[in-house]
Amino acid sequence: MPAIALGASLHDVLHRLKAEPQTYPTIDISYSSVRPIDTPILLGLPANGIRLRFDGPDQRLRLIEVLDFSKSRLSYKNIEIVKPSSLGTAITAPQSSVSSRPSFRHVYNRLFGPTFPGEYIPSSSQDGEAAGTYILSYPGIAFTFSIQSSSAWSVNLDFVTLLSSSAASPASSMAIFHGSSWSDARASIFTLTSPHPRSLSLAGRGREGGVDEVELVKVHGEGCIELVRRFGPPFWIILSETTPQDLVAELGPPDAIYRKNDRRLAIHKARSAGSRHPGRANGMYSGQDESTDTDQSSSHTTTDDSDEDDPASTGKSHDMASAECFYNYFHHGFDVFISSPTTPSARSPTSPLAFSPPSVNKDPSNATPTAYLTATKLLLHANIPGSYPFNRHRRSRWTLEHVPSAQHTEPLNSEMPFDDIAGRLREVWRPTYGSKDEEKSLQRGMVLNRGWGDSPGSSCELLGGWEESIGGNRKGIGDTTGDGEQSLGNTELFGFPGLVFEVLKNGAVSCLTVF
């Protein structure tokens, strides 16, 4: 099995496993299609007898379960957890036999040594002869033993005598977790702050392991974005000021660079041009940028169409347009659009007055838009199971710090349903609209189909094809949902000043574009 550590991201683990299809021919993903963020995500490897559990909000590996000892070779400090002679042909057996499971004596004497008493869980059946379960815990690891009958258990009987007797069967499963014991860890196993990095390449390297991980993205409005990092100080992206060189210096080189010339959504720019209040138009239609493009690696050029009518500017604008691109940071969970500097988004009516971004140049007139390229848009990906772009990026968590309301002062966040987010944002921006009809008109959603190859937001155009993603053409990989659906279907785009939300049918935000 490839090196997999607790705390690793679902994105990283899946890529490691998919790189060895002969070893891991089947990968089953189980999740809630209704509440994919609130509930754990289960990744099963039935051919290997292993199940991995990830928390929903952060998508980090919290629990490794060995359900069948006969299907994988396991060792601790070069000592086999199951004797090699016990494996043999049992690897193809439908379930683990008694001979292929570790005995209590082997675990207690040869592997880990003495430990504190564990936990006995009686059978829910009223039958006194029904089997019970004993969980023996060590720091970070626990074994489950079946007790043949409840009558064999006694509070006056020490667990060593019990588990050594014929009343106890060999261990039926093993769990690997972070904590001093299973009884202490299980209550907070999916919510405890992980001490390990998300990236498997950084596991065990500490602070000097490479490019620091981004833990949280804080959006402060007016193009100011704070990237909170694991060890180092925050890195600020000031849209239309931060350069590609700044990004590479702080975040490392991008995993990929994508260029695309797709202007099919430019027609919607006409809407803001005819608006009585163009500055108050929502983020999807505001004129400075075609922000309807919320795909993680697709882009239209942001060159003003009027430049094409000016022969003196044609050559320069075309050169700038050809240099525009997306910096794809799959391991950070976001993409950055690189283009000519643009006008910052409008200030939120409720933005904290005390906030002062660490910017040295906030005057767009000094930016010389045609002179150089800057970061003008940030796309934050949620990596929702069942969505079309699932597993393109690792999950990125974010908060909106600039839109408190009278009733709610805490920031909006990536775990909230979009209905709650939209309700708060409508309340904040309502005073800027001329009428209720204008507000209603500007808050309509736009349907985006990600299943057609010629869709402006199609991920097929993006990184090479559906076969690279979970749920695609590779045999043995499947998504399991509560209702048996294979996909969450079309998405909708909703815009607010400086923000565009791509929303799934279950109300989860699949992508947030900040501009």
Side-chain angles (χ1 to χ4, degrees), residues 246-508:
D246 296 331
L247 296 174
V248 173
E250 295 291 340
L251 302 175
D255 300 305
I257 296 177
Y258 185 85
R259 292 179 173 87
K260 175 182 173 184
N261 185 19
D262 185 342
R263 307 178 71 87
R264 281 171 287 180
L265 294 176
I267 189 172
H268 295 286
K269 295 177 67 176
R271 177 170 179 172
S272 64
S275 172
R276 293 188 303 107
H277 305 284
R280 296 202 307 238
N282 73 17
M284 212 162 25
Y285 307 111
S286 56
Q288 78 245 22
D289 157 280
E290 295 160 14
S291 296
T292 38
D293 178 17
T294 60
D295 203 306
Q296 57 263 40
S297 299
S298 60
S299 67
H300 335 302
T301 61
T302 56
T303 305
D304 193 336
D305 290 341
S306 62
D307 288 345
E308 299 179 3
D309 300 328
D310 181 2
S313 64
T314 298
K316 182 179 293 185
S317 64
H318 283 187
D319 289 342
M320 295 295 290
S322 64
E324 293 173 348
C325 62
F326 273 92
Y327 275 16
N328 302 137
Y329 285 100
F330 304 127
H331 65 287
H332 284 314
F334 55 76
D335 302 314
V336 186
F337 184 52
I338 307 298
S339 69
S340 308
T342 59
T343 304
S345 60
R347 180 184 180 87
S348 164
T350 61
S351 179
L353 297 178
F355 171 69
S356 179
S359 173
V360 294
N361 178 22
K362 285 297 292 180
D363 185 358
S365 64
N366 295 331
T368 317
T370 60
Y372 61 93
L373 297 173
T374 62
T376 58
K377 187 192 303 184
L378 184 70
L379 285 76
L380 304 170
H381 299 279
N383 197 34
I384 304 295
S387 64
Y388 190 91
F390 175 63
N391 210 44
R392 299 291 192 187
H393 298 70
R394 68 102 159 156
R395 179 171 172 79
S396 179
R397 304 182 75 177
W398 47 261
T399 60
L400 304 182
E401 305 283 335
H402 64 301
V403 286
S405 65
Q407 291 77 23
H408 305 90
T409 58
E410 71 281 0
L412 296 168
N413 63 69
S414 52
E415 283 67 65
M416 298 176 65
F418 178 70
D419 286 346
D420 294 344
I421 295 174
R424 285 268 301 273
L425 291 178
R426 291 190 186 104
E427 179 184 349
V428 167
W429 289 101
R430 185 166 292 124
T432 69
Y433 297 112
S435 65
K436 290 185 177 180
D437 290 339
E438 181 184 2
E439 176 186 357
K440 183 178 180 180
S441 174
L442 292 177
Q443 298 307 327
R444 289 185 299 170
M446 178 185 294
V447 176
L448 178 65
N449 184 291
R450 288 197 177 276
W452 296 346
D454 59 351
S455 168
S458 171
S459 293
C460 285
E461 306 181 322
L462 169 63
L463 295 176
W466 178 246
E467 70 276 2
E468 294 297 327
S469 63
I470 294 298
N473 295 332
R474 177 180 153 190
K475 292 182 179 180
I477 296 182
D479 296 348
T480 303
T481 65
D483 50 15
E485 292 184 354
Q486 290 294 312
S487 172
L488 294 176
N490 297 342
T491 61
E492 284 190 277
L493 302 179
F494 295 89
F496 293 88
L499 305 169
V500 174
F501 298 86
E502 182 177 351
V503 184
L504 301 172
K505 291 184 179 296
N506 57 18

Side-chain angles (χ1 to χ4, degrees), residues 4-25:
I4 293 179
L6 292 171
S9 70
L10 175 63
H11 172 262
D12 213 0
V13 171
L14 272 174
H15 275 283
R16 289 292 182 97
L17 297 177
K18 288 168 62 181
E20 300 185 27
Q22 292 183 341
T23 305
Y24 306 97

